[in-house]
Amino acid sequence: MSTRETAIKAAAAYFDEGGFKTDLAEQVAIPTSSREEDHRVDILRYLDLMRARFEAMGFGVEIHPNPALERAPFLVAKRIEDPALTTLFCYGHGDTVPGEEGRWSEDRDPWSLSVAKTSSGERWYGRGTADNKSQHAINMEAMRHVIETRGHLGYNVTFLIETAEEMGSAGLSDFCRKNRDMLAADLLIASDGPRFSTDGPDIKLGTRGGLNIRFRLEYREGGHHSGNWGGLLANPAIVLMHALTTLVSRNGQILHPGLKPDRIKNSVREALGNITVSSGPSDPQIDPWWGEPGLSGAEKVFGWNTFEVLSFITGDPESPQNAVPPFAEAICQIRFVVDTDPDTFLPLIRKHLEDEGFEGITVEPARMFMLRASRLDPEHPAVGWAVKSMERTTRKPVTVIPNAGGSLPNGVFLNIIGMPTLWVPHSYTGCSQHAPDEHVLPHLMKEGLEMMTGLFWDLGDGFP
C-alpha cells in the first residue's frame, strides 16, 4: 500500500545508498559562478542537467532569456495534473559565488564534491553544496519520491530556477511581473539559507532586504609624499572613516533614526521571544556588546536593521607607499526589515553627510539590483499546517521565524506574484557559504529530504 511512510522510507534509502551524494556531485562539478562572464556556458549546462531531471519527473521545461543579464536565464518547470487543483510554487538558484580556487583547506577543488571526517561528524565540501544546489535538489528529490510512491502529487507545481541570485537576482522582478499569470500559485515552499539551529528544523516567513552602498571620496590625482605633504593635504581615508562614524557607532549601533525601524512590532517580538541566538562549535563567538542596545540576539538579527562595512580601500593595500593617498572607497551594506523603506536610504545619507559638513563624498548603489524585505503574517494558516507536517516527520519542535536575517527574492514572490511564502532551510550557520570550504552536513540533508517528502505528501491531502 502506498503511504506517507513508504515515500519517506524510499527517500531515506535513496540517500543512504549514495544516490543523493552522486547527484549532488554532478551538480557541484558544473562551475556556475554568475559573477564571472566566462561561466555563461556552464550555467547553460547546469540548466540542461536540471531540465533532464525535471522531465524525468513528468515536468514540462522551458528556458527563458533574462534581458537584464544575458548569461543568466531562467528555468521554469511545470507539472499540471489538473488545472482545478492547488498550485505549488518552488524556487532555487543554480548560480554560485566564485569558486575561490586555491583558498580552500587541504587543497580542495571547489568544483568537486569531497568528503571529510571531523570530530563533529562528516562534511561534504564543494561550491554550491549549501548555497543552493543541495537545497533545491532535496526539494526536487522529495517531490520525485512522492510521485513514484503515490503515482501523482495531487496538486500542480511550478518550479523556478534562476541563475543570477548571487548578482542580486538581476531581472527576476521584471520576469515575474511580466509572467505573473504563468507563475501564479497558491503557496511557495522553497529552501535557502541556514537553519537557525542544527538541533531542529525551522520555517522562515520572509527575509530582510539588502542594499549595498559605495562611498567614495577622491581629492586629487596620485599620492603625494607623506613627509613632504603630510599635515598639508587632507587624507580622504581619515575623512571617510569619520563620515561613516556619523552613521554607525563604534559599537555597531545605527545612529541615524531614518536607517532603522521605529520599533519591533508586537507580533514579531512575540515570535522571537522564545529564540535564543548562540554560537555553535564551528561558529564565531557572538559579541554581546555589538549592535542595537536593548535588543535580544534574535531581535538584532531577525527584527532590526544593521549597517556593515564590507570593504575599505585606500592607497595600494598590496604595496603601501609613504604617501597621502588620493582617494578612499568603502563598500557598505544595510540589511533591513519590512518596517523601513530602502528607497529613502541613499537620499537620507547624502543629506546627512552634507549637513555634517562632509563634502565631495559620492554615495551610490554598489550593486545594480536590490533585494527587498518581506514577511508573511505568522498567523497565516499555511504556517501552522507546515509546522504540524514537519513535526510529524521529524518528531522535533519547529521554530517559526518571521524573517531570515539574510536576503532572498522573497518579496518578488510574496508581493509581485502574490502567494504565501514558506522557507524551510536545509543548511546550517557554520556552512561557510560565500567563502572557501563551503560544505553541508549529510545528516541535515537526509533529515531535510525526509521532512520535505512528508510535507509534499501532506499537500496532496489538502491545501491549508
Side-chain angles (χ1 to χ4, degrees), residues 98-352:
E100 298 184 273
E101 291 86 344
R103 297 183 57 196
W104 292 54
S105 301
E106 300 181 16
D107 200 30
R108 292 188 180 95
D109 175 9
W111 307 113
S112 178
L113 189 70
S114 59
V115 178
K117 304 283 187 180
T118 71
S119 57
S120 57
E122 191 173 274
R123 294 180 174 183
W124 296 355
Y125 288 89
R127 177 61 81 221
T129 49
D131 189 17
N132 171 262
K133 293 180 178 180
S134 71
Q135 303 221 40
H136 60 259
I138 283 173
N139 295 350
M140 290 170 63
E141 289 301 322
M143 203 170 291
R144 178 173 70 86
H145 280 88
V146 172
I147 294 170
E148 292 182 354
T149 302
R150 183 184 254 160
H152 63 280
L153 290 169
Y155 47 90
N156 308 312
V157 179
T158 297
F159 209 125
L160 170 66
I161 294 182
E162 71 156 317
T163 55
E165 194 272 348
E166 302 297 357
M167 294 284 287
S169 290
L172 180 64
S173 294
D174 287 343
F175 177 75
C176 290
R177 189 175 289 110
K178 291 175 182 177
N179 295 281
R180 187 183 288 112
D181 291 342
M182 177 183 72
L183 302 174
D186 300 291
L187 173 68
L188 176 143
I189 300 177
S191 302
D192 203 337
R195 286 185 176 193
F196 168 71
S197 168
T198 57
D199 294 333
D202 64 59
I203 295 177
K204 298 181 176 72
L205 309 182
T207 63
R208 287 198 296 183
L211 173 64
N212 285 22
I213 308 170
R214 175 179 284 103
F215 294 79
R216 185 175 177 88
L217 179 59
E218 188 166 356
Y219 279 149
R220 60 191 69 88
E221 292 186 10
H224 293 269
H225 193 282
S226 58
N228 298 331
W229 293 98
L232 300 174
L233 297 181
N235 189 309
I238 294 173
V239 174
L240 184 55
M241 284 189 288
H242 280 275
L244 292 176
T245 60
T246 69
L247 295 170
V248 62
S249 77
R250 62 177 294 174
N251 295 332
Q253 179 187 9
I254 294 177
L255 297 176
H256 198 297
L259 299 179
K260 57 186 178 181
D262 295 329
R263 63 184 180 87
I264 297 177
K265 292 181 178 179
N266 291 337
S267 60
V268 174
R269 192 180 292 274
E270 182 178 349
L272 297 175
N274 296 323
I275 298 175
T276 300
V277 178
S278 60
S279 297
S282 302
D283 297 331
Q285 291 302 304
I286 292 171
D287 297 311
W289 51 270
W290 185 261
E292 185 72 17
L295 299 186
S296 69
E299 289 169 344
K300 289 178 181 179
V301 76
F302 300 125
W304 204 248
N305 292 7
T306 57
F307 187 104
E308 305 291 348
V309 177
L310 306 183
S311 70
F312 195 107
I313 299 174
T314 190
D316 184 352
E318 298 298 323
S319 180
Q321 303 297 319
N322 293 321
V324 179
F327 78 95
E329 181 174 288
I331 304 296
C332 300
Q333 182 184 74
I334 301 177
R335 297 278 187 176
F336 55 92
V337 294
V338 296
D339 308 298
T340 49
D341 180 3
D343 293 328
T344 66
F345 291 165
L346 295 183
L348 182 153
I349 291 171
R350 292 182 188 119
K351 185 177 186 307
H352 166 79

Side-chain angles (χ1 to χ4, degrees), residues 7-18 20-21 24 124 134 138 142 195 393-394 396 426-427 440-454:
I8 293 173
K9 287 180 180 179
Y14 157 75
F15 189 95
D16 291 340
E17 293 166 6
F20 184 81
K21 180 180 174 183
L24 180 58
W124 296 355
S134 71
I138 283 173
R195 286 185 176 193
T393 302
T394 63
K396 298 177 181 179
H426 307 311
S427 184
V440 289
L441 304 181
H443 75 277
L444 292 187
M445 299 292 99
K446 180 180 179 181
E447 183 173 75
L449 181 60
E450 294 172 329
M451 183 169 59
M452 300 307 291
T453 302

Side-chain angles (χ1 to χ4, degrees), residues 427-447:
S427 184
Y428 81 116
T429 54
C431 68
S432 297
Q433 71 181 87
H434 290 197
D437 295 333
E438 179 181 351
H439 64 278
V440 289
L441 304 181
H443 75 277
L444 292 187
M445 299 292 99
K446 180 180 179 181
E447 183 173 75

